[in-house]
Structures are given as C-alpha cells and as structure tokens.
C-alpha cells in the first residue's frame, strides 16, 4: 500500500517542512540551528518509516500494528503540516494580490489543523468502537405471503484482521448484537479478512456462534480472494480455498455463483450469492448472474447477495429480476459529514437503500475496516424486514 503512493508521501512529508523552514524558521528569532533541527526531526523519522514500509512486498504486512501506527502518525504530524503549508501559500498569494496586511491563510490553516486532529482522534477511538443497529423495511408485491414480516440481519466488511487482541471485544459485541436481533436469517456480504485466512482462524470460534433458524449465508468480497498478497497464483488459490473452508467449517452457507431455496410451507424465496464483481484491479470481476440463478423461475422472489454494489446496475438489473440486492464494499469510505461521503464520487450507491422501480439495493457501510478509523460512519448491523405489498 505504501509503495504505491511512496513518492506522494515523500513530497507530503518534505515540502511542508521545507516551506515552514524557509518562510519562518530562518528568521532571526527562530534561526538557531537546534530549533530547525528539532523541526526537521519528525519529518526525517517519518521519511525513514515510509521507506521501510514501502519495501514490504505485500499490500500490507501480516502484523498491521506498525502500519496502523505509521498511518496514525501520518495523520497526526504530516497531514497537518501539509494542510497548514497549503493554506499559508494560498493566503500569501492572496495577501500580495489583494494588498492585505496579514496572511489570513495561516489562521485558516491552524483552524483546519485543529479540526483535522479532532476528526483523527475521535475516528480512531470512539468512532471505530461504535456499533449501531439499523432497521430497514422493504416491501414487494412479489414476496410470498408466508414471508411477510420475514427478518434478515445483514453485516458486511468485518475485516477481522483489524481486531487485534485489544479489540477482540468489538467483534464479540458485534456477534452478540447480531444474535440479539433473533432474525430468521443472517447474511454476510463479503470481506471477512484483510489479506490472509489466518486472521479468520483466530476469530473462527466467535464467528461460529452466529445462528438463525434459516442459517447464515455469505459471499466472498474482494479481500477474501487473497489478491492483496504478493504471491504466486498457486499460493493465492490455496489461501482462497482456506477462506472457503473456514466459512463452511463455521457453519455458514457460502454461495459462489449459486443459490439456495428457503421455504415456509408451500411458499419459498431464493437466496442467491454471486462471486465478487467489481470494476478495479483488486476487486475481481467473477460474478455470473446466469449461473447464480440457473434453474430458478422469473416469478421467484430473489434475495441477491453481491459484495460490490457497482454490479447492481452493470449486471443484476439488466440480466435478472432479483427484487432485493444486498451489498457492502464501500465502507462509506469510513468518513461521512452531514450525510455525504467522498466515496460518492466513485459509487452512485454507496450507503443505504436505493430503488429502481420496484427493485432495490441496500448497501451496508460495513462493520469494521482495514484501517481502524470511522468518523460519522459507525460500524453497523442491519435488520431488514420484508413485507408483502398488495399488487
């Protein structure tokens, strides 16, 4: 991960330090050598830290403790320097252009740094530790009468590798919250691991405690295919097989371009699960709608599980009649302010319930995350109640 943006990180570290040094620290009252050395010391340490992490061949090391510490320091030290320097440069240009007496960019920069520190510290502590239970209702004229009031609990993007020993209680709390809903069915919409199935092995006992009368259904997310490892094809395939075996050993019904029938007396619904179908290099396009729904009838009510919500408009809407699709993947970018997230620039459906006529998709913003940070987007457990609507 660090290697991919190595040059940008170095520029972000060095240029603000250089600007402040040249603009302010070389002045007479700050010009002592030891003051300037002290100013450059954090930047030097962060440069060395960046070089060391960039040498790692994988997307991230197996133990993400050092990476998370680095990213926190990046947010605590480097980003504020960059923000202040950028505001100061803009303010300096405006000062000269408008002939102002002061560089108001410095004041704006300091205010933005204070806000940034608040977001960083809150999101890394209280924000990431928060779990909410969200209730959603979906009505369809195609839903069989026996399933009116049927309750489904969805959770997504657990990324259990982020739950180190001091965060185990968060996953325990999430499992307790899911079971406490007493739903008819539990579904998981992908990204159980960060990079390696050994992360799941450590939490398998906890995850095995999930239970519902009609079972736990799941699909794979882009992280579950081990594509984030710098390894040969055989090693990646072995890791993916291990992930599949683990989910099945936990008692989950993992759906890989296939479906199951859930019955209530003479009525039934289809629970279908597609392989991940994304639009980027690390989000493989493996979904097959035709294979997933092979043998079903157009009259069936279909609950479709697909990790990547971009698949809904690309394949699910045009290629089948699935009434309700459940997805995850976006995390709401783990940052939301006044109902908006930057992820909206990439995904038209990124968090919540979206409709297209009588059909709908619900995109969960997830439970955890590769990075232990959430601001305005708490980890969520979603309770979806199905209702039969009169035609």
């Amino acid at each position: 991960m660090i290697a991919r943006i190595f040059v940008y990180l170095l520029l972000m570290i060095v240029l603000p330090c250089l600007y402040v040094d040249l603009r302010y620290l070389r002045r007479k009252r700050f010009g002592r050598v030891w003051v300037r050395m002290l100013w450059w010391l954090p930047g030097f340490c962060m440069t060395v830290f960046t070089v060391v992490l960039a040498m790692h061949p994988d997307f991230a090391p197996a133990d993400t403790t050092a990476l998370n510490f680095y990213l926190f320091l990046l947010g605590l030290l480097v980003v504020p320097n960059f923000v202040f320097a950028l505001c100061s440069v803009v303010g300096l240009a405006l000062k000269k252009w408008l002939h102002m007496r002061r560089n108001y960019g410095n004041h704006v920069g300091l205010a933005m740094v204070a806000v940034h520190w608040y977001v960083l510290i809150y999101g890394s502590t209280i924000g990431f530790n928060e779990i909410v239970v969200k209730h959603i209702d979906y009505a369809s004229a195609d839903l069989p009468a026996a399933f009116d009031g049927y309750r489904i609990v969805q959770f997504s993007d657990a990324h259990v590798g982020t739950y180190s020993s001091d965060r185990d209680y968060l996953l325990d709390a999430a499992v307790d919250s899911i079971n406490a809903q007493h739903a008819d069915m539990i579904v998981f919409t992908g990204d159980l691991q960060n990079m390696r199935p050994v992360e799941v092995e450590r939490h398998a006992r906890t995850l095995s405690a999930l239970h519902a009368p009609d079972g736990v259904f799941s699909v794979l997310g882009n992280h579950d295919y081990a594509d984030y490892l710098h390894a040969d094809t055989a090693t990646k395939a072995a890791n993916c097989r291990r992930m599949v075996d683990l989910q099945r050993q936990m008692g989950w019904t993992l759906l890989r371009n296939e479906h199951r029938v859930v019955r209530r007396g003479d009525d039934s619904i289809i629970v279908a699960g597609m392989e991940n179908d994304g639009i980027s290099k690390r989000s493989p396009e493996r979904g097959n709608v035709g294979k997933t729904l092979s043998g079903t009838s157009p009259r069936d009510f279909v609950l479709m599980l697909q990790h990547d919500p971009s698949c809904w408009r690309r394949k699910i809407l045009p290629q089948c009649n699935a009434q309700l699709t459940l997805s995850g993947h976006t995390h709401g970018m783990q940052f939301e302010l006044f109902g908006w997230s930057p992820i909206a620039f990439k995904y038209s459906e990124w968090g919540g319930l979206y409709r297209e006529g009588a059909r709908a998709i619900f995109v969960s913003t997830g439970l955890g995350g590769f990075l232990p940070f959430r601001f305005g987007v708490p980890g969520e457990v979603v309770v979806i109640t199905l209702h039969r609507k009169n035609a």
Side-chain angles (χ1 to χ4, degrees):
M1 178 169 67
I2 302 301
R4 295 171 62 188
I5 54 174
F6 176 70
V7 174
Y8 299 105
L9 288 173
L10 288 187
L11 291 175
M12 184 180 287
I13 294 169
V14 174
L15 291 182
C17 289
L18 185 62
Y19 169 77
V20 173
D21 185 23
L22 294 176
R23 181 69 187 168
Y24 299 105
L25 299 187
R26 284 193 177 185
R27 291 181 177 182
K28 201 167 187 180
R29 56 177 175 165
F30 293 118
R32 295 181 181 180
V33 173
W34 69 269
V35 174
R36 296 175 63 196
M37 290 179 64
L38 194 62
W39 167 251
W40 277 96
L41 181 60
F44 174 77
C45 293
M46 288 300 296
T47 299
V48 173
F49 207 167
T50 303
V51 171
V52 171
L53 287 177
M55 294 172 64
H56 199 281
D58 292 332
F59 182 78
D63 184 352
T64 58
T65 303
L67 175 63
N68 290 336
F69 182 59
Y70 168 82
L71 293 173
F72 183 78
L73 289 180
L74 198 71
L76 190 68
L77 303 174
V78 176
V79 174
N81 283 351
F82 179 81
V83 169
F84 174 80
L86 182 63
C87 291
S88 182
V89 168
V90 172
L92 186 63
L94 290 174
K95 176 186 175 183
K96 293 182 178 180
W97 182 36
L98 300 176
H99 306 289
M100 296 186 297
R101 297 180 61 184
R102 292 184 179 182
N103 181 351
Y104 289 100
N106 290 344
H107 302 286
V108 174
L110 289 174
M112 291 185 68
V113 166
V115 171
H116 168 78
W117 276 336
Y118 170 76
V119 170
L120 174 69
I121 294 171
Y122 181 93
S124 301
T125 53
I126 298 172
F128 189 73
N129 293 343
E130 188 178 5
I131 299 174
V132 299
V133 178
K134 184 178 294 185
H135 292 268
I136 301 295
D137 291 286
Y138 172 74
S140 171
D142 297 327
L143 184 72
F147 287 87
D148 187 24
Y150 192 86
R151 286 160 50 87
I152 303 163
V153 167
Q154 178 197 10
F155 73 112
S156 189
D157 299 271
H159 291 275
V160 297
T162 306
Y163 298 111
S164 52
S165 56
D166 59 333
R167 290 196 180 101
D168 280 349
Y169 71 94
L170 291 174
L171 189 59
D172 293 338
V175 169
D176 289 342
S177 294
I178 293 169
N179 285 334
Q181 306 312 311
H182 303 292
D184 298 288
M185 176 195 301
I186 297 171
V187 300
F188 175 71
T189 45
D191 275 4
L192 190 58
Q193 67 180 22
N194 283 335
M195 295 175 60
R196 302 165 179 83
V198 67
E199 303 162 14
V200 180
E201 291 174 4
R202 200 171 81 75
H203 298 287
R205 184 174 180 179
T206 299
L207 294 167
S208 298
L210 290 170
H211 57 84
D214 289 327
V216 180
F217 295 87
S218 64
V219 291
L220 297 177
N222 55 304
H223 279 261
D224 297 326
Y225 292 94
D227 283 342
Y228 286 79
L229 291 177
H230 183 74
D232 56 68
T233 303
T235 301
K236 291 182 179 181
N239 275 277
C240 187
R241 286 195 300 272
R242 180 57 181 152
M243 166 58 69
V244 171
D245 290 342
L246 278 169
Q247 293 200 31
R248 289 173 176 163
Q249 288 168 16
M250 292 188 306
W252 296 11
T253 301
L254 177 63
L255 301 173
R256 306 187 68 185
N257 287 333
E258 55 190 318
H259 67 270
R260 297 290 186 272
V261 180
V262 176
R263 301 185 184 279
R264 285 286 187 276
D266 293 332
D267 289 338
S268 64
I269 62 172
I270 302 296
V271 182
M274 290 176 63
E275 296 269 8
N276 183 84
D277 202 283
I279 53 177
S280 62
K281 180 181 178 181
R282 295 188 186 275
S283 186
E285 188 177 356
R286 305 188 185 191
N288 186 316
V289 176
K291 182 179 178 182
T292 302
L293 296 177
S294 177
T296 64
S297 166
R299 296 185 299 275
D300 289 329
F301 180 89
V302 177
L303 175 69
M304 179 71 80
L305 310 182
Q306 163 57 239
H307 178 66
D308 194 310
S310 68
C311 181
W312 189 54
R313 293 195 180 276
R314 287 186 293 108
K315 291 186 177 180
I316 296 173
L317 284 179
Q319 296 181 22
C320 72
N321 295 317
Q323 290 88 344
L324 178 61
T325 299
L326 303 182
S327 293
H329 183 59
T330 70
H331 298 212
M333 210 169 180
Q334 294 173 221
F335 177 85
E336 184 179 313
L337 196 61
F338 305 118
W340 178 83
S341 169
I343 199 66
F345 288 121
K346 185 175 182 180
Y347 293 94
S348 54
E349 292 84 26
W350 58 268
L353 185 68
Y354 302 84
R355 297 180 183 274
E356 187 70 31
R359 303 170 68 185
I361 181 172
F362 182 83
V363 183
S364 171
T365 50
L367 184 65
F370 190 88
L371 304 177
F373 172 90
R374 279 180 176 264
F375 185 88
V377 191
E380 66 179 23
V381 170
V382 184
V383 183
I384 303 166
T385 304
L386 304 182
H387 301 281
R388 178 176 172 83
K389 183 169 67 174
N390 292 330

